Short mmCIF file of all heavy atoms in Angstrom, two decimals:
data_model
loop_
_atom_site.label_atom_id
_atom_site.label_comp_id
_atom_site.label_asym_id
_atom_site.label_seq_id
_atom_site.Cartn_x
_atom_site.Cartn_y
_atom_site.Cartn_z
N ASN A 5 243.25 183.03 126.87
CA ASN A 5 243.04 183.75 128.03
C ASN A 5 242.87 182.68 129.22
O ASN A 5 241.98 181.96 129.14
CB ASN A 5 241.75 184.68 128.07
CG ASN A 5 241.85 185.65 127.03
OD1 ASN A 5 242.76 186.44 127.12
ND2 ASN A 5 240.95 185.58 126.06
N MET A 6 243.89 182.63 130.09
CA MET A 6 243.90 181.53 131.13
C MET A 6 243.22 182.16 132.39
O MET A 6 243.98 182.70 133.24
CB MET A 6 245.35 181.05 131.30
CG MET A 6 245.95 180.59 130.04
SD MET A 6 247.54 179.76 130.26
CE MET A 6 247.10 178.24 131.04
N ASN A 7 242.03 182.03 132.50
CA ASN A 7 241.28 182.79 133.48
C ASN A 7 241.14 181.97 134.80
O ASN A 7 240.91 182.49 135.86
CB ASN A 7 239.90 183.06 133.05
CG ASN A 7 239.97 183.92 131.74
OD1 ASN A 7 240.69 184.85 131.69
ND2 ASN A 7 239.08 183.63 130.76
N GLY A 8 241.18 180.63 134.78
CA GLY A 8 241.05 179.77 135.99
C GLY A 8 242.22 179.22 136.55
O GLY A 8 243.17 179.00 135.87
N GLU A 9 242.17 179.08 137.84
CA GLU A 9 243.31 178.61 138.50
C GLU A 9 243.67 177.15 138.04
O GLU A 9 242.79 176.36 137.70
CB GLU A 9 243.07 178.36 140.17
CG GLU A 9 243.07 179.87 140.68
CD GLU A 9 242.78 179.75 142.17
OE1 GLU A 9 242.72 178.58 142.72
OE2 GLU A 9 242.83 180.71 142.88
N ASN A 10 244.93 176.86 137.99
CA ASN A 10 245.47 175.55 137.58
C ASN A 10 245.10 175.22 136.15
O ASN A 10 245.18 173.98 135.79
CB ASN A 10 245.01 174.41 138.54
CG ASN A 10 245.55 174.61 139.96
OD1 ASN A 10 246.54 174.97 140.21
ND2 ASN A 10 244.47 174.42 140.84
N SER A 11 244.84 176.18 135.38
CA SER A 11 244.62 175.86 133.94
C SER A 11 245.96 175.73 133.21
O SER A 11 247.02 176.29 133.75
CB SER A 11 243.79 177.05 133.30
OG SER A 11 244.47 178.29 133.47
N VAL A 12 246.03 174.95 132.06
CA VAL A 12 247.23 174.64 131.44
C VAL A 12 247.06 174.80 129.96
O VAL A 12 246.06 174.58 129.39
CB VAL A 12 247.68 173.06 131.74
CG1 VAL A 12 248.93 172.77 130.98
CG2 VAL A 12 247.85 172.95 133.25
N CYS A 13 248.17 175.33 129.31
CA CYS A 13 248.14 175.52 127.83
C CYS A 13 249.40 175.12 127.33
O CYS A 13 250.41 175.50 127.89
CB CYS A 13 247.76 177.00 127.47
SG CYS A 13 247.72 177.43 125.83
N GLN A 14 249.37 174.59 126.11
CA GLN A 14 250.64 174.26 125.32
C GLN A 14 250.31 174.50 123.88
O GLN A 14 249.35 174.01 123.24
CB GLN A 14 251.00 172.75 125.45
CG GLN A 14 252.16 172.36 124.63
CD GLN A 14 252.69 170.95 124.80
OE1 GLN A 14 253.10 170.49 125.93
NE2 GLN A 14 252.54 170.12 123.77
N ILE A 15 251.10 175.30 123.27
CA ILE A 15 251.00 175.65 121.88
C ILE A 15 252.28 175.20 121.16
O ILE A 15 253.38 175.74 121.64
CB ILE A 15 250.70 177.18 121.67
CG1 ILE A 15 249.48 177.68 122.37
CG2 ILE A 15 250.60 177.45 120.15
CD1 ILE A 15 249.09 179.09 122.40
N VAL A 16 252.25 174.46 120.20
CA VAL A 16 253.47 174.00 119.46
C VAL A 16 253.07 174.30 117.92
O VAL A 16 252.06 173.87 117.28
CB VAL A 16 253.74 172.51 119.59
CG1 VAL A 16 254.88 172.17 118.70
CG2 VAL A 16 253.93 172.16 121.11
N SER A 17 253.97 175.04 117.31
CA SER A 17 253.88 175.43 115.86
C SER A 17 255.07 174.91 115.12
O SER A 17 256.24 175.24 115.71
CB SER A 17 253.70 176.97 115.69
OG SER A 17 253.84 177.31 114.20
N ARG A 18 254.93 174.09 114.16
CA ARG A 18 256.01 173.63 113.25
C ARG A 18 255.65 174.03 111.91
O ARG A 18 254.50 173.59 111.30
CB ARG A 18 256.25 172.21 113.43
CG ARG A 18 256.79 171.64 114.78
CD ARG A 18 257.53 170.42 114.66
NE ARG A 18 258.51 170.17 115.61
CZ ARG A 18 259.34 169.29 115.84
NH1 ARG A 18 259.56 168.45 114.86
NH2 ARG A 18 260.13 169.17 116.83
N SER A 19 256.58 174.80 111.16
CA SER A 19 256.29 175.11 109.87
C SER A 19 257.44 175.06 108.95
O SER A 19 258.65 175.20 109.41
CB SER A 19 255.75 176.59 109.85
OG SER A 19 256.73 177.50 110.20
N VAL A 20 257.19 175.04 107.63
CA VAL A 20 258.21 174.98 106.61
C VAL A 20 257.86 176.13 105.58
O VAL A 20 256.71 175.98 105.00
CB VAL A 20 258.37 173.59 105.99
CG1 VAL A 20 259.49 173.71 104.91
CG2 VAL A 20 258.92 172.62 107.05
N GLY A 21 258.64 177.02 105.38
CA GLY A 21 258.50 178.06 104.27
C GLY A 21 259.50 177.77 103.24
O GLY A 21 260.59 177.82 103.37
N LYS A 22 258.93 177.70 101.91
CA LYS A 22 259.71 177.33 100.72
C LYS A 22 259.55 178.54 99.69
O LYS A 22 258.57 179.39 99.82
CB LYS A 22 259.44 176.04 100.08
CG LYS A 22 259.53 174.75 101.01
CD LYS A 22 259.23 173.58 100.08
CE LYS A 22 259.50 172.38 100.84
NZ LYS A 22 259.11 171.14 100.04
N ASP A 23 260.44 178.64 98.84
CA ASP A 23 260.37 179.51 97.53
C ASP A 23 260.21 180.99 98.02
O ASP A 23 261.08 181.50 98.75
CB ASP A 23 259.23 179.09 96.65
CG ASP A 23 259.29 177.64 96.35
OD1 ASP A 23 260.45 177.25 95.98
OD2 ASP A 23 258.25 177.01 96.21
N ASP A 24 259.23 181.79 97.63
CA ASP A 24 258.92 183.08 97.94
C ASP A 24 257.72 183.17 98.88
O ASP A 24 257.18 184.32 98.98
CB ASP A 24 258.69 183.85 96.76
CG ASP A 24 259.83 183.97 95.78
OD1 ASP A 24 260.97 184.37 96.18
OD2 ASP A 24 259.66 183.51 94.54
N SER A 25 257.39 182.19 99.67
CA SER A 25 256.13 182.31 100.45
C SER A 25 256.54 183.08 101.70
O SER A 25 257.64 183.26 102.11
CB SER A 25 255.69 180.86 100.94
OG SER A 25 256.81 180.11 101.59
N ILE A 26 255.48 183.46 102.43
CA ILE A 26 255.50 184.34 103.66
C ILE A 26 254.61 183.78 104.74
O ILE A 26 253.42 183.41 104.49
CB ILE A 26 255.06 185.80 103.34
CG1 ILE A 26 255.88 186.55 102.18
CG2 ILE A 26 255.09 186.59 104.53
CD1 ILE A 26 255.42 187.80 101.78
N GLN A 27 255.23 183.65 105.92
CA GLN A 27 254.49 183.06 107.10
C GLN A 27 254.53 184.17 108.16
O GLN A 27 255.62 184.74 108.40
CB GLN A 27 255.04 181.89 107.47
CG GLN A 27 254.96 180.55 106.57
CD GLN A 27 255.53 179.32 107.09
OE1 GLN A 27 255.80 179.29 108.25
NE2 GLN A 27 255.68 178.40 106.25
N LEU A 28 253.39 184.28 108.90
CA LEU A 28 253.45 185.16 110.12
C LEU A 28 252.76 184.29 111.21
O LEU A 28 251.60 183.90 111.07
CB LEU A 28 252.72 186.42 109.87
CG LEU A 28 252.45 187.33 111.12
CD1 LEU A 28 253.68 187.67 111.79
CD2 LEU A 28 251.47 188.51 110.72
N PHE A 29 253.32 184.13 112.31
CA PHE A 29 252.70 183.39 113.41
C PHE A 29 252.87 184.24 114.73
O PHE A 29 253.89 184.68 115.17
CB PHE A 29 253.46 182.05 113.67
CG PHE A 29 252.79 181.11 114.79
CD1 PHE A 29 251.49 180.93 114.73
CD2 PHE A 29 253.50 180.73 115.75
CE1 PHE A 29 250.86 180.13 115.77
CE2 PHE A 29 252.98 179.77 116.77
CZ PHE A 29 251.60 179.53 116.72
N HIS A 30 251.68 184.50 115.29
CA HIS A 30 251.69 185.38 116.50
C HIS A 30 250.74 184.71 117.57
O HIS A 30 249.48 184.96 117.66
CB HIS A 30 251.09 186.76 116.13
CG HIS A 30 251.00 187.74 117.30
ND1 HIS A 30 250.25 188.91 117.28
CD2 HIS A 30 251.71 187.65 118.53
CE1 HIS A 30 250.51 189.51 118.40
NE2 HIS A 30 251.30 188.90 119.16
N PRO A 31 251.32 183.88 118.43
CA PRO A 31 250.56 183.32 119.65
C PRO A 31 250.70 184.22 120.80
O PRO A 31 251.88 184.79 121.13
CB PRO A 31 251.28 182.03 119.76
CG PRO A 31 252.79 182.28 119.41
CD PRO A 31 252.74 183.37 118.24
N LYS A 32 249.67 184.41 121.66
CA LYS A 32 249.55 185.29 122.66
C LYS A 32 248.90 184.50 123.75
O LYS A 32 247.74 184.13 123.63
CB LYS A 32 248.91 186.57 122.44
CG LYS A 32 248.73 187.56 123.52
CD LYS A 32 248.04 188.73 123.11
CE LYS A 32 247.79 189.63 124.38
NZ LYS A 32 246.95 190.84 124.03
N VAL A 33 249.62 184.42 124.88
CA VAL A 33 248.92 183.77 126.12
C VAL A 33 248.98 184.78 127.32
O VAL A 33 249.91 185.43 127.58
CB VAL A 33 249.71 182.62 126.58
CG1 VAL A 33 249.13 182.00 127.86
CG2 VAL A 33 249.73 181.45 125.42
#
């Protein structure tokens, strides 16, 4: 939640899924 003026946010996700694995990524700004 970017409530203040001139606030800054950076989100970086790097993932590797192998075999039968499951991943779920839900970023919300």
Side-chain angles (χ1 to χ4, degrees):
N5 301 300
M6 307 186 70
N7 302 318
E9 290 184 359
N10 299 317
S11 55
V12 176
C13 174
Q14 176 179 296
I15 301 172
V16 177
S17 171
R18 289 202 161 197
S19 71
V20 176
K22 297 182 176 182
D23 305 322
D24 296 302
S25 63
I26 298 173
Q27 298 180 12
L28 172 63
F29 184 52
H30 183 194
K32 177 183 177 182
V33 175

